[in-house]
Amino acid sequence: MPGITLLGLGPGDPAQLSREAWDTLSSSPEVWLRTRQHPTLAGFPAGLTVHSFDALYENGTAFEEVYASIVEQILDLGRRKNGVVYAVPGDPYIAEATSPEIARRARELGIPVRVISGISFLEPVFSALGLDPFPRLTL
């Protein structure tokens, strides 16, 4: 797909990757990851070319610098004929600095953006603790 696809990898178990995310990864020749440090990679479709920005983390002096570089590179890749799939741990909009900025800048530049949500870290934490994040009436 032309433009930028922001894809959530979920909390780590490859079985928790959404069907939409799986279908996108299965039909894409490549994916760009914010980081390879995520267990969902073990369940990626065979033949998918995987790139990451881990070298930026190793060589950068500050997260802001790393994130700014990622944003610029994804915007450039999104201008290609086939666009880019950019995948992040969890959900693209939960505790993620790069995705909202990529989407904001892409809108300004007229680059189409598609968002594929993933399970964030919040759902497994609430489940593990037996908590409901929304108050409800006592029955």
Side-chain angles (χ1 to χ4, degrees):
M1 169 184 162
I4 299 169
T5 299
L6 303 172
L7 186 144
L9 293 173
D13 182 344
Q16 292 181 328
L17 193 62
S18 75
R19 178 62 181 252
E20 185 180 13
W22 174 260
D23 290 347
T24 298
L25 293 171
S26 295
S27 64
S28 299
E30 68 177 4
V31 62
W32 286 80
L33 304 174
R34 181 169 59 74
T35 179
R36 284 182 180 267
Q37 306 305 313
H38 196 276
T40 298
L41 274 67
F44 271 12
L48 180 64
T49 300
V50 178
H51 308 280
S52 81
F53 292 104
D54 287 334
L56 294 176
Y57 287 97
E58 294 164 9
N59 300 321
T61 57
F63 283 122
E64 293 80 10
E65 173 187 305
V66 170
Y67 295 154
S69 182
I70 291 171
V71 168
E72 291 304 322
Q73 289 182 54
I74 293 299
L75 291 169
D76 287 343
L77 292 165
R79 292 182 179 102
R80 301 181 304 180
K81 179 182 173 190
N82 294 327
V84 64
V85 175
Y86 173 61
V88 299
D91 182 90
Y93 280 89
I94 305 294
E96 177 58 46
T98 58
S99 296
E101 183 63 10
I102 289 167
R104 185 188 72 74
R105 296 271 310 281
R107 280 191 300 273
E108 290 175 353
L109 297 168
I111 301 170
V113 174
R114 175 179 170 209
V115 178
I116 300 173
S117 296
I119 297 173
S120 76
F121 69 94
L122 295 173
E123 292 88 346
V125 168
F126 288 132
S127 292
L129 296 175
L131 297 176
D132 181 350
F134 297 100
R136 61 177 179 243
L137 297 175
T138 304
L139 300 176

